[in-house]
Amino acid sequence: MKISLNWLKEYCNIPVSAKELAEQMTMLGLEIESMEEPGKEIENVFVGKILDIQPHPQADKLVICKTDIGKGEPLQIICGAKNMKAGDKVPTAIDGAILPGGLKITRRKMRGIDSFGMMCSGAELKVEEDSEGLLILPPETPIGEDIKKVLGLDDVIFDIEITPNRGDWASYIGLARELSAYYNIPITLPQIQIKEVEKSVSSVSSVTIECPDYCPRYAGRVIQNVKVAPSPDWLVRKLLSAGQRPINNIVDITNFVLLEIGHPLHAFDFNKLNENRIIVRLAKENEEIKTLDGELRKLKANQMVIADAIKPQALAGIMGGADSEVDDNTINVFLESAYFDPISIRRTARAHNLLTEAAQHFQRGADPEMVLWAINRATALIQELAGGEVLQGILDEYPQKIERKFVKLRYERTGKRLGINIEQNFQKSILINLGFAAKDETEREVNFIVPSWRHDVTLEEDLIEEIARFYGYDKVPNTLPKIRQSSAVFDASFKKIHNIRTLLVHKGLTECYSWTFSNPEIMQQLKFPDNYLNMVVLQNPLSKNLSTMRTSIIPNLLATAQKNHLEDTISIFEIGPVFIPDDKNILPEEKQKIGILLSGYANPRLWCYNERKHYDFFDLKGIVEDILNMLSITYRIEGSEFPLFHPGQSLKIKNQNKELGYLGKISPKVAHELEINENTFIGELNLNDLLNIPLKKKVYKTISEFPSTSRDLAILVDRIIPVADIYTSLKTIGEGILQKIEIFDVYTGEQVPKDKKSIALGFTFCSNEKTLTDTEIDALVNEIINRLQKQFDAQIR
Amino acid sequence: MIKELEKIKEQAIKKIEEAQSTDLLEQIRVEFLGKKGKITEVLKKLGTLPAEERPKMGSIANEIKEIITNSIQEQYQIILEKEIQKKIEEEKIDITLPGRTCGIGHMHVINQVMSEITDIFIQMGFQIASGPEVETEYYNFESLNTPDDHPARDVHDTFYVKPGVVLRTHTSPVQMRVMEKTKPPVAVIVPGRVYRVDNDASHSPMFNQMEGLLVDEDITFADLKGTLMYFVHKFFGEETAVRFRPHYFPFTEPSAEMDISCTVCKGKGCRVCKNSGWLEILGCGMVHPRVFQYAGYDNEKYQGYAFGFGIDRMAMLKFSIPSINLLFDNNLKFLEQF
Ligand SMILES: [Zn+2]
């Protein structure tokens, strides 16, 4: 909300500078978005009267003016504008003047003739967006007056953010009320004088409220024989300073009163109301109204309208109807001032997407006791600016009186909540200054009557906040609480997940952080199985590409790989949630997943590496194994049939029947489609399932004091036999004496038959009881050989 | 004979001093002290001397033998030293070459900051809680004293999943979930992703918040100020000024916003702080009685505070990151800076 300091000062005499005021308002909860001094840069611009205009002999488009600025001889000024005539008063910058933006005006020759200054347009003074020609001032403007004073540019404009609970702040008088309470200075309300004629308003019109829950109070006045015309300058300027467009004097007055007191009013063309009367009622289902913005709106049965005897003439509290709009031909005006239920206004305004100024005020709660003041203020102004006869009396229907609320304050609660003791009398005086009235007072507590404009105060805590605000948040001490722990655990996995993150970073991977939205089409393109395509869908997504919540992190990682395709090595991971719809619950299941992607070179281009190695399957498998081992998880590996992957280079990881994750080389086809490196390896682990697996308990094993012995063996087996099977089979030999099996070479190639592979195995034997003899070890090696021959048809080399 | 011995001694010492290798020294030792060496040869002649001269001559000969032995020993040490020096010289490398490593990776800047912030609060006694990101309107709004018709809902541009289900617009719903699960004392922080329909240079539709909730019998507004001041001093440094302004949130009363002195201009005024010298970073307040009512807490017995702030903003301030969109763009040239 834009607030002019000069205008604000009409209601209370603020005792501090603009800067101090801004700081104090901030500390009262009125957040200052910006503070501008519109005339700050303007110097030496005065009101001048054009005495004479002559053509310029050397230039068709210029004229020579003689302009009187009230000092010395009239100035000769060359001017290019066309909209002025002799006798007009215009802003005149003299030699040495400064205009907004720092433009300096000096005496100079224009096409051979001296010009001693410049006459200004509204745009040049930054009072209009753009303008054609000079700014013509009203004829009564005094010659020689400083233009800043005339145009109200010697002002400070605050842009204030008003929180939704304080609708009462959203007006000049509302602000003045707050500041006068804080600075303890009087508030001056404008004098209202209305001359009523003898004819009573009830003889020509009536108000009927059919829905008192929606409209507890409705007041109307009728003013006859008004002259609709443009508003005078002072009113136009005030509306402009608030960012409002002037329309005509009647409408402008209602808008002005809204700015002044925060109470929305509406003026109807009285003659356009059928039977000249008002019915406040709910709309009939599908009833229609054409609102002032030209829209034909279909109404619902719970939406309140202001109707005449036949049809709706306004969307109550939100926008007037086009059919009863005040225009240049209007003679008689029906002026409305009402109090509408905030929730009903909010619902209707939202339903029609019409959050007008009026709707905003009503939805935050207007002041039911301000209804008559507001209508009288506007009536007086109409009479002053548009003439006319005010019919006697007000049609004031108030079927549901809004009672003042009472809120009890226990003085000691203030200290208990705030952590500082504030003297009782001081607490009380703060609230009294703010318009609260004390009732039923005892030594320890007091019942306060809440002012009619303070809809936000309903609880003791609200009073405590008022006291804290005026006492000063900055004066409340800063103390450290004694924190007592609860025994409940709310998130057991945060630390473990962070440990995994740290492990991966230490292994050289870089962490990504993506939006969790996803594109269902990409999921299909990546050939994710159907269960991944069952996604949480957003009703109002930012775009089609972001219309669902992700079920996998892999598309994010692939997008990152695409985005960074110019890098020669990409080793990234991301940890975060995926969202799986759950038919049995209102909310989807959220699972934390970790995705890893490797692509490009595995080692840096560095003097000490002979060659650069490309990432391969086992780089990724090793990383995943490290995570599983860090968590002490038992798992087994199976081939994966995930279509995203190369069928010969992919696996899934299982614990019992639970799939913990999968990894593999991206299928060459997908790599081609996405235009990413074929040597890209991706894996995804389900962290929730990983972290839920009971840990293998670690138990100390005796460290043998006897020496260990190693033997190596090279065997030739069918190429298709998995090494893991050999490993598993041999592990059971020797009842603990065979302590370690190393697979230190695997070879396929020219040296061995085409369907065979050579495997080099290293065995370490050690006993806890004695030094093993050669005979004992030989026996074990023979057992190993036998088993290899029998089970795997191995040839010993 | 003495003369002969003296001559041998001089000869030997000269040779020893000239010797430049341990092999040569060994030759010299054999030449003079060996079984067939020069001294031995001389001593063989000892028998030719009169008996009374023999002991004297014998001891002189032994003396010279010792001198030569010592001299060889000394020279041996010198040569050894030189040879080690030479070896060291040969093995010298360029120690400025980079070490052999594939490098360590980079934790995302949000998680670095998240971890730093959670550590501060955990040390103070808070524990971490979490909750769903797809949330019911009940937890996201209603139970936080923000019913459907509340104007405060206007500031939350909410993503809807279906009627009654939204992407959470703040981490505050976890407050209610935690309070439903346990009775006071409660001391939790809630880091997490939140969502609002907003996407421009200074807004991301997904961003990160940290919520804090402390409820017990005597938690005051002063405690709230003190806790947050302590946090700011730990995170931004002791010299950072802190200011609390009255504000409005439906779920706290009294409510406040916290500003810190601008981290760029140190409070003098610059473009980042719109010349005010202050940066708004956090909203907070005492838990609203109606929120306690939803949680089933006795407002007469318990009181507490809650706060919430943007983790992304903290990261941006801490590392001078100009745009929030950089955080979620996954450009490696950005990620690898931190
Ligand atoms: Zn600054």
Side-chain angles (χ1 to χ4, degrees):
Chain A
M1 184 178 66
K2 288 213 156 100
I3 289 289
S4 139
L5 181 57
N6 285 349
W7 187 355
L8 184 61
K9 280 180 173 169
E10 291 176 18
Y11 307 102
C12 69
N13 194 11
I14 288 152
V16 294
S17 71
K19 193 163 172 275
E20 281 171 87
L21 177 64
E23 270 162 31
Q24 194 53 59
M25 286 200 283
T26 302
M27 296 312 284
L28 286 172
L30 288 151
E31 202 176 332
I32 308 295
E33 294 275 292
S34 69
M35 187 176 149
E36 269 174 50
E37 295 170 60
K40 199 177 169 187
E41 293 173 307
I42 300 175
E43 258 176 56
N44 283 323
V45 182
F46 303 98
V47 178
K49 184 180 179 186
I50 302 172
L51 303 176
D52 179 46
I53 304 176
Q54 295 298 330
H56 191 298
Q58 264 81 40
D60 291 348
K61 290 188 174 160
L62 296 177
V63 291
I64 305 166
C65 302
K66 288 259 183 312
T67 303
D68 176 16
I69 59 153
K71 280 169 234 157
E73 286 289 300
L75 300 176
Q76 172 174 293
I77 298 175
I78 314 292
C79 185
K82 294 200 167 49
N83 65 324
M84 68 290 191
K85 57 182 190 304
D88 279 346
K89 290 179 178 169
V90 293
T92 310
I94 62 168
D95 185 14
I98 299 170
L99 297 187
L103 179 70
K104 216 168 167 175
I105 305 300
T106 49
R107 168 186 165 173
R108 61 183 178 130
K109 269 197 165 52
M110 288 177 87
R111 291 289 182 100
I113 297 180
D114 277 328
S115 180
F116 294 84
M118 185 178 115
M119 297 185 290
C120 309
S121 70
E124 280 158 343
L125 292 171
K126 288 256 165 70
V127 294
E128 286 170 9
E129 289 275 312
D130 54 352
S131 35
E132 297 206 4
L134 302 181
L135 179 69
I136 311 292
L137 300 166
E140 67 274 13
T141 318
I143 295 172
E145 186 79 87
D146 190 323
I147 200 70
K148 288 194 278 189
K149 210 172 156 198
V150 172
L151 296 178
L153 297 175
D154 55 342
D155 198 359
V156 180
I157 306 291
F158 299 106
D159 194 356
I160 305 179
E161 191 201 312
I162 305 249
T163 51
N165 60 325
R166 293 303 303 267
D168 65 297
W169 271 343
S171 71
Y172 276 92
I173 290 176
L175 265 185
R177 202 152 46 197
E178 184 80 11
L179 296 171
S180 78
Y182 185 78
Y183 289 115
N184 213 355
I185 48 172
I187 181 163
T188 320
L189 295 183
Q191 292 297 309
I192 298 172
Q193 279 175 332
I194 302 169
K195 274 180 273 155
E196 290 181 335
V197 296
E198 215 162 283
K199 190 170 159 195
S200 85
V201 64
S202 50
S203 68
V204 299
S205 184
S206 70
V207 168
T208 314
I209 301 177
E210 290 183 356
C211 50
D213 288 342
Y214 286 68
C215 174
R217 187 173 198 178
Y218 192 101
R221 266 190 184 276
V222 174
I223 304 130
Q224 292 181 333
N225 296 318
V226 296
K227 196 166 170 283
V228 178
S231 295
D233 267 14
W234 68 265
L235 181 51
V236 168
R237 230 161 252 138
K238 281 196 157 138
L239 292 177
L240 287 176
S241 79
Q244 292 194 5
R245 194 170 46 91
I247 296 163
N248 60 46
N249 48 8
I250 307 292
V251 176
D252 291 351
I253 285 166
T254 61
N255 287 335
F256 169 81
V257 173
L258 174 58
L259 290 168
E260 182 177 59
I261 192 68
H263 200 95
L265 304 171
H266 183 65
F268 296 90
D269 185 325
F270 186 60
N271 294 359
K272 292 178 190 158
L273 296 175
N274 289 295
E275 297 181 18
N276 296 132
R277 62 191 184 99
I278 290 289
I279 302 166
V280 184
R281 60 166 169 89
L282 296 184
K284 297 174 192 114
E285 191 74 28
N286 292 330
E287 202 171 6
E288 285 181 341
I289 181 173
K290 191 174 177 193
T291 41
L292 280 173
D293 54 3
E295 292 276 317
L296 187 67
R297 295 173 189 274
K298 202 168 254 182
L299 303 172
K300 285 204 165 6
N302 64 352
Q303 298 175 344
M304 182 178 21
V305 295
I306 310 301
D308 58 20
I310 294 175
K311 60 172 188 173
Q313 292 291 359
L315 203 50
I318 299 168
M319 190 178 266
D323 291 348
S324 54
E325 186 179 2
V326 170
D327 58 28
D328 293 350
N329 302 320
T330 300
I331 304 166
N332 300 330
V333 168
F334 182 95
L335 190 62
E336 160 199 298
S337 176
Y339 175 78
F340 298 114
D341 173 59
I343 290 176
S344 117
I345 295 294
R346 178 170 169 76
R347 280 190 185 145
T348 307
R350 264 177 47 176
H352 291 282
N353 199 15
L354 252 186
L355 208 57
T356 56
E357 280 288 314
Q360 284 191 44
H361 277 83
F362 279 126
Q363 74 164 25
R364 293 199 263 199
D367 182 353
E369 294 179 25
M370 200 50 77
V371 165
L372 297 187
W373 193 92
I375 201 170
N376 286 337
R377 171 70 165 149
T379 304
L381 283 170
I382 288 173
Q383 197 162 44
E384 185 188 329
L385 303 180
E389 298 111 37
V390 178
L391 299 198
Q392 197 173 81
I394 302 173
L395 299 165
D396 181 17
E397 289 299 311
Y398 197 0
Q400 265 189 24
K401 186 153 187 338
I402 312 274
E403 299 292 343
R404 294 278 192 104
K405 282 168 294 180
F406 290 83
V407 181
K408 189 165 77 179
L409 175 69
R410 293 162 291 173
Y411 290 119
E412 57 91 21
R413 292 298 280 187
T414 309
K416 175 125 198 319
R417 295 273 153 152
L418 298 180
I420 177 153
N421 280 318
I422 300 172
E423 218 214 312
Q424 288 197 9
N425 277 339
F426 191 48
Q427 294 190 32
K428 191 177 154 190
S429 72
I430 287 171
L431 292 168
I432 300 283
N433 272 0
L434 278 166
F436 292 81
K439 202 177 168 257
D440 311 327
E441 204 172 345
T442 73
E443 217 169 276
R444 292 153 161 257
E445 58 186 51
V446 55
N447 235 343
F448 279 106
I449 306 172
V450 178
S452 55
W453 57 87
R454 291 301 300 270
H455 299 281
D456 59 314
V457 177
T458 55
L459 300 170
E460 189 176 41
E461 280 74 11
D462 300 323
L463 297 178
I464 293 173
E465 181 175 64
E466 292 308 287
I467 294 165
R469 275 195 317 122
F470 270 51
Y471 178 77
Y473 278 15
D474 50 340
K475 291 203 202 82
V476 176
N478 304 304
T479 54
L480 280 178
K482 281 196 200 73
I483 295 182
R484 290 199 297 152
Q485 276 285 346
S486 153
S487 55
V489 173
F490 305 105
D491 185 341
S493 60
F494 188 87
K495 181 80 189 150
K496 289 178 193 164
I497 289 178
H498 194 69
N499 288 344
I500 296 172
R501 176 180 291 131
T502 311
L503 171 77
L504 293 180
V505 168
H506 289 176
K507 291 187 75 67
L509 279 79
T510 291
E511 188 183 18
C512 299
Y513 209 106
S514 310
W515 287 351
T516 43
F517 309 113
S518 103
N519 181 349
E521 277 173 24
I522 297 255
M523 296 298 286
Q524 273 168 344
Q525 197 190 341
L526 293 177
K527 307 192 173 42
F528 270 90
D530 283 351
N531 56 324
Y532 283 83
L533 299 176
N534 179 19
M535 302 171 98
V536 173
V537 181
L538 297 179
Q539 288 185 336
N540 53 337
L542 281 178
S543 69
K544 226 180 127 207
N545 300 341
L546 305 167
S547 61
T548 55
M549 300 305 284
R550 69 183 179 192
T551 49
S552 166
I553 293 181
I554 285 177
N556 296 116
L557 291 174
L558 286 170
T560 301
Q562 278 178 309
K563 192 174 291 173
N564 293 282
H565 70 279
L566 293 176
E567 305 285 334
D568 66 2
T569 179
I570 299 176
S571 56
I572 51 174
F573 72 100
E574 177 164 341
I575 298 175
V578 300
F579 304 82
I580 300 141
D582 181 349
D583 294 339
K584 279 172 244 116
N585 285 304
I586 179 158
L587 295 182
E589 190 188 358
E590 292 181 23
K591 288 185 159 185
Q592 294 292 321
K593 286 207 172 186
I594 176 166
I596 305 172
L597 181 147
L598 304 177
S599 181
Y601 289 112
N603 55 351
R605 190 176 181 199
L606 202 62
W607 63 277
C608 54
Y609 296 108
N610 289 335
E611 55 175 338
R612 297 195 74 181
K613 180 182 129 2
H614 283 280
Y615 276 121
D616 66 25
F617 182 83
F618 295 101
D619 286 310
L620 180 56
K621 191 182 176 202
I623 290 169
V624 170
E625 283 170 341
D626 282 349
I627 295 173
L628 297 167
N629 291 336
M630 184 180 86
L631 299 170
S632 299
I633 283 171
T634 34
Y635 60 92
R636 65 170 200 283
I637 277 165
E638 287 175 12
S640 157
E641 55 283 349
F642 217 85
L644 173 64
F645 290 138
H646 187 303
Q649 291 195 24
S650 58
L651 60 80
K652 60 184 175 214
I653 300 153
K654 281 191 152 183
N655 172 282
Q656 287 164 14
N657 277 330
K658 212 158 198 121
E659 195 176 310
L660 301 178
Y662 44 76
L663 65 90
K665 183 178 186 171
I666 193 165
S667 104
K669 212 175 145 204
V670 174
H672 180 75
E673 278 172 28
L674 296 182
E675 293 176 19
I676 59 171
N677 189 338
E678 251 188 49
N679 263 10
T680 297
F681 301 86
I682 318 170
E684 188 168 47
L685 294 175
N686 189 339
L687 281 178
N688 290 67
D689 290 339
L690 281 183
L691 298 176
N692 281 339
I693 293 172
L695 296 184
K696 263 194 299 190
K697 204 180 170 205
K698 290 180 180 171
V699 181
Y700 171 74
K701 276 183 248 149
T702 313
I703 299 164
S704 174
E705 53 191 275
F706 302 100
S708 60
T709 309
S710 298
R711 293 288 174 87
D712 291 348
L713 209 57
I715 59 169
L716 204 61
V717 291
D718 282 352
R719 203 167 169 169
I720 53 160
I721 292 174
V723 176
D725 289 1
I726 296 174
Y727 183 87
T728 314
S729 162
L730 298 181
K731 226 169 48 176
T732 56
I733 287 176
E735 288 158 356
I737 287 176
L738 174 54
Q739 292 206 324
K740 193 160 79 181
I741 307 172
E742 291 159 304
I743 300 150
F744 65 88
D745 193 32
V746 177
Y747 176 79
T748 52
E750 282 173 23
Q751 309 295 317
V752 296
K754 210 180 158 199
D755 55 348
K756 299 277 178 188
K757 64 181 164 191
S758 156
I759 304 169
L761 300 161
F763 301 94
T764 304
F765 304 96
C766 185
S767 160
N768 287 337
E769 282 134 31
K770 57 179 181 177
T771 304
L772 295 168
T773 63
D774 279 357
T775 326
E776 285 166 319
I777 292 168
D778 287 346
L780 285 169
V781 171
N782 278 333
E783 198 183 336
I784 290 171
I785 291 172
N786 280 337
R787 192 171 290 186
L788 287 170
Q789 286 171 333
K790 217 164 151 191
Q791 282 191 1
F792 302 104
D793 199 17
Q795 297 169 41
I796 312 302
R797 303 181 87 204
Chain B
M1 201 175 213
I2 290 179
K3 271 189 186 151
E4 203 178 339
L5 279 170
E6 283 293 330
K7 203 177 149 198
I8 290 169
K9 186 181 104 182
E10 274 164 33
Q11 234 179 29
I13 285 176
K14 189 164 180 256
K15 274 198 167 176
I16 289 165
E17 282 173 353
E18 281 167 5
Q20 285 306 322
S21 77
T22 49
D23 293 349
L24 203 57
L25 272 183
E26 183 57 20
Q27 280 173 32
I28 295 167
R29 194 187 65 80
V30 174
E31 185 185 342
F32 290 92
L33 305 175
K35 277 180 189 153
K36 288 174 185 168
K38 287 185 177 163
I39 304 262
T40 319
E41 292 298 317
V42 173
L43 286 179
K44 275 180 190 163
K45 294 177 199 159
L46 216 58
T48 63
L49 292 177
E52 66 275 17
E53 284 182 33
R54 278 182 216 160
K56 194 187 162 199
M57 201 54 69
S59 80
I60 288 172
N62 277 329
E63 225 170 85
I64 287 172
K65 214 171 162 178
E66 209 180 303
I67 287 169
I68 293 172
T69 308
N70 285 345
S71 174
I72 287 174
Q73 199 59 43
E74 264 170 47
Q75 187 65 17
Y76 185 83
Q77 282 303 324
I78 289 167
I79 291 168
L80 200 66
E81 191 66 29
K82 272 189 188 155
E83 280 179 357
I84 288 172
Q85 274 307 322
K86 196 176 157 220
K87 191 172 153 72
I88 286 174
E89 207 56 43
E90 281 167 4
E91 289 178 359
K92 208 167 181 180
I93 55 166
D94 179 359
I95 54 157
T96 65
L97 281 169
R100 187 176 292 112
T101 172
C102 292
I104 55 165
H106 305 268
M107 190 180 294
H108 196 279
V109 65
I110 289 172
N111 280 322
Q112 288 185 36
V113 166
M114 186 112 82
S115 145
E116 188 181 344
I117 295 172
T118 50
D119 282 351
I120 295 171
F121 284 106
I122 287 169
Q123 277 163 20
M124 292 175 80
F126 288 85
Q127 54 169 321
I128 290 173
S130 58
E133 294 177 19
V134 180
E135 185 56 285
T136 60
E137 282 193 288
Y138 173 80
Y139 284 111
N140 195 72
F141 291 121
E142 215 178 306
S143 70
L144 296 169
N145 194 28
T146 320
D148 190 31
D149 296 309
H150 202 288
R153 279 215 190 177
D154 290 345
V155 299
H156 293 250
D157 303 304
T158 312
F159 282 111
Y160 280 85
V161 170
K162 56 185 170 191
V165 179
V166 300
L167 301 189
R168 67 177 177 194
T169 57
H170 48 182
T171 41
S172 308
V174 185
Q175 281 186 28
M176 188 53 59
R177 289 185 173 271
V178 164
M179 285 194 280
E180 281 180 354
K181 252 192 244 167
T182 184
K183 289 283 148 209
V186 173
V188 292
I189 48 166
V190 186
R193 289 173 174 78
V194 299
Y195 302 84
R196 292 192 196 170
V197 186
D198 223 342
N199 188 21
D200 57 40
S202 51
H203 295 92
S204 162
M206 182 198 87
F207 55 105
N208 294 274
Q209 275 192 345
M210 172 91 74
E211 188 83 7
L213 174 72
L214 177 63
V215 183
D216 205 339
E217 287 173 12
D218 295 304
I219 304 301
T220 65
F221 188 67
D223 291 335
L224 170 63
K225 286 185 64 192
T227 305
L228 293 174
M229 176 110 100
Y230 175 84
F231 159 67
V232 165
H233 285 170
K234 283 269 170 188
F235 186 76
F236 287 108
E238 296 286 338
E239 72 286 354
T240 314
V242 174
R243 168 174 98 166
F244 290 83
R245 287 180 283 106
H247 198 71
Y248 169 73
F249 303 106
F251 34 92
T252 49
E253 186 79 18
S255 303
E257 270 187 340
M258 185 177 81
D259 300 339
I260 58 167
S261 52
C262 178
T263 52
V264 178
C265 63
K266 308 283 172 225
K268 281 189 221 79
C270 69
R271 208 185 313 154
V272 174
C273 58
K274 287 194 233 151
N275 273 320
S276 69
W278 294 99
L279 297 172
E280 171 194 325
I281 61 164
L282 181 150
C284 59
M286 301 300 288
V287 181
H288 198 286
R290 281 198 204 98
V291 174
F292 275 163
Q293 209 175 317
Y294 277 104
Y297 281 15
D298 180 357
N299 188 50
E300 287 297 305
K301 186 171 178 202
Y302 297 114
Q303 52 190 48
Y305 66 61
F307 58 83
F309 57 85
I311 293 170
D312 318 280
R313 183 156 163 79
M314 298 289 178
M316 289 165 70
L317 288 174
K318 188 128 188 165
F319 298 101
S320 305
I321 297 166
S323 157
I324 189 166
N325 294 310
L326 284 166
L327 295 175
F328 309 113
D329 190 42
N330 294 331
N331 184 338
L332 285 174
K333 291 198 161 52
F334 172 81
L335 299 173
E336 287 170 359
Q337 288 181 26
F338 303 99

